[in-house]
Amino acid sequence: MNIGDAAEQAKLPRKTIRYYEEIGLINPLRSENGYRDYSPIDVHRLRFLQRSRSLGFTIEECRLLLSLYDDKHRASADVKAIAEAKVHEIDQKIKELTELKATLSALAHSCHGDRRPDCPIINDLAGGPCA
Amino acid sequence: MNIGDAAEQAKLPRKTIRYYEEIGLINPLRSENGYRDYSPIDVHRLRFLQRSRSLGFTIEECRLLLSLYDDKHRASADVKAIAEAKVHEIDQKIKELTELKATLSALAHSCHGDRRPDCPIINDLAGGPCA
DNA sequence: CATAAAGGTTCCAGCAACCGGAAGGTCAAG
DNA sequence: CTTGACCTTCCGGTTGCTGGAACCTTTATG
């Protein structure tokens, strides 16, 4: 199967697939004409990558997950630990963003938003809390 | 004032300050010896940048905010619009992350996490929703 | 058979927003 | 006089791709 079809099945751009090959996450065979030739197993692997990435795992985490995927004797606990760490990370990020939003929307709210040049937002940015 | 002191006052790494200069967000005078020389106004500007960045504005948004800051006749509405757009963006990001977290923590929860190799997380990644 | 469109290939460059380090100049203190 | 803390520039790397140029191959059509 050529890269176009593989891309469609894995729901990944061609460019991304070539990039994944470049960094050693996958390596398909080559046809006589030099075209990449993806087996169903390759496509499966690409799909694994697509899903892992969309769940927020970094490339390096994906690499690790793939190695666990390949290792038929790994313990499920290993995988679970990675997933839980990721959940924690995401949670932290959510907290940060929530605070950010509160600060910013308080600022926006305090601004009358008319034609006058006086603006609490700019004033805060200019001389805010760390002044 | 040399870059070290400016950095401390603005709470920005030296490297970052030089970078901001490189991309034209600031340009301090130079002393005889070639050292950058920051005026209080420069430091103020750096602080503005530090605060804006920490509130999640991109560099280009900061550039815009600075130009509004410099323009004594701009309407506060212009600034408010930018802030509100940012709040909306942040909100979207929070929503995305929340969904991500739900998916991932459901997965982690479904995994018994012991020594056995069978793992629902890996299984999902391998053949998940887009199989 | 010619040709044009739609695939494929490689490599090079660039995005955001910096960070780290090397090689070197400068300045104050002991 | 030397040590060490500053400062300078420049180069490369980070993450995860994406776009484009220049080129080859395959397929469809006139």
Side-chain angles (χ1 to χ4, degrees):
Chain A
M1 178 189 307
N2 284 346
I3 199 170
D5 295 331
E8 197 174 342
Q9 290 197 29
K11 296 181 180 164
L12 282 172
R14 273 161 264 246
K15 281 279 186 187
T16 302
I17 296 179
R18 291 198 196 98
Y19 172 68
Y20 286 171
E21 180 174 344
E22 195 185 319
I23 62 175
L25 288 178
I26 191 164
N27 52 329
L29 296 173
R30 296 294 181 128
S31 309
E32 294 267 316
N33 57 13
Y35 288 15
R36 288 170 179 82
D37 186 18
Y38 297 88
S39 72
I41 289 175
D42 288 329
V43 174
H44 203 230
R45 205 174 170 82
L46 288 173
R47 226 151 38 194
F48 186 104
L49 283 167
Q50 189 279 329
R51 177 116 175 102
S52 315
R53 289 287 299 129
S54 79
L55 283 175
F57 291 100
T58 67
I59 290 286
E60 287 317 304
E61 284 163 344
C62 289
R63 199 188 295 279
L64 180 54
L65 286 169
L66 273 175
S67 78
L68 293 175
Y69 176 57
D70 290 339
D71 176 6
K72 292 304 170 204
H73 301 298
R74 54 93 185 74
S76 68
D78 296 344
V79 183
K80 185 170 184 168
I82 297 174
E84 282 176 341
K86 203 66 194 176
V87 168
H88 186 67
E89 249 178 63
I90 294 173
D91 215 33
Q92 283 304 111
K93 193 79 193 166
I94 291 173
K95 279 201 186 71
E96 272 177 45
L97 287 178
T98 303
E99 283 175 33
L100 215 58
K101 187 194 160 188
T103 305
L104 206 50
S105 76
L107 264 179
H109 200 255
S110 73
C111 174
H112 37 69
D114 56 20
R115 288 176 200 282
R116 283 173 297 166
D118 178 47
C119 175
I121 300 171
I122 285 284
N123 293 344
D124 178 280
L125 289 176
C130 76
Chain B
M1 180 188 305
N2 283 348
I3 199 171
D5 295 330
E8 196 175 343
Q9 289 198 29
K11 295 182 182 166
L12 281 172
R14 273 161 265 244
K15 281 280 187 185
T16 302
I17 295 178
R18 291 198 196 99
Y19 172 67
Y20 287 170
E21 180 174 345
E22 194 185 318
I23 62 175
L25 288 179
I26 191 166
N27 50 329
L29 296 173
R30 296 293 180 128
S31 309
E32 293 266 317
N33 57 14
Y35 287 15
R36 289 169 179 82
D37 186 18
Y38 297 88
S39 71
I41 289 175
D42 288 329
V43 173
H44 204 230
R45 206 174 169 81
L46 287 172
R47 224 148 43 190
F48 186 103
L49 284 166
Q50 189 278 329
R51 177 119 176 100
S52 316
R53 289 285 301 126
S54 79
L55 283 174
F57 291 101
T58 67
I59 289 285
E60 286 318 303
E61 285 163 342
C62 290
R63 199 189 295 279
L64 180 54
L65 286 169
L66 273 176
S67 78
L68 294 176
Y69 175 57
D70 289 340
D71 176 6
K72 293 301 169 206
H73 300 297
R74 56 95 186 74
S76 68
D78 296 344
V79 183
K80 185 170 183 168
I82 297 174
E84 282 176 341
K86 203 66 195 176
V87 168
H88 186 67
E89 250 178 63
I90 294 173
D91 215 33
Q92 284 302 113
K93 194 76 193 168
I94 290 173
K95 279 201 186 72
E96 271 176 45
L97 287 178
T98 303
E99 284 174 31
L100 215 58
K101 186 194 161 188
T103 305
L104 206 50
S105 76
L107 264 179
H109 200 255
S110 74
C111 175
H112 36 71
D114 56 19
R115 288 178 200 281
R116 283 174 296 167
D118 178 48
C119 176
I121 301 171
I122 286 284
N123 292 343
D124 178 280
L125 290 176
C130 78

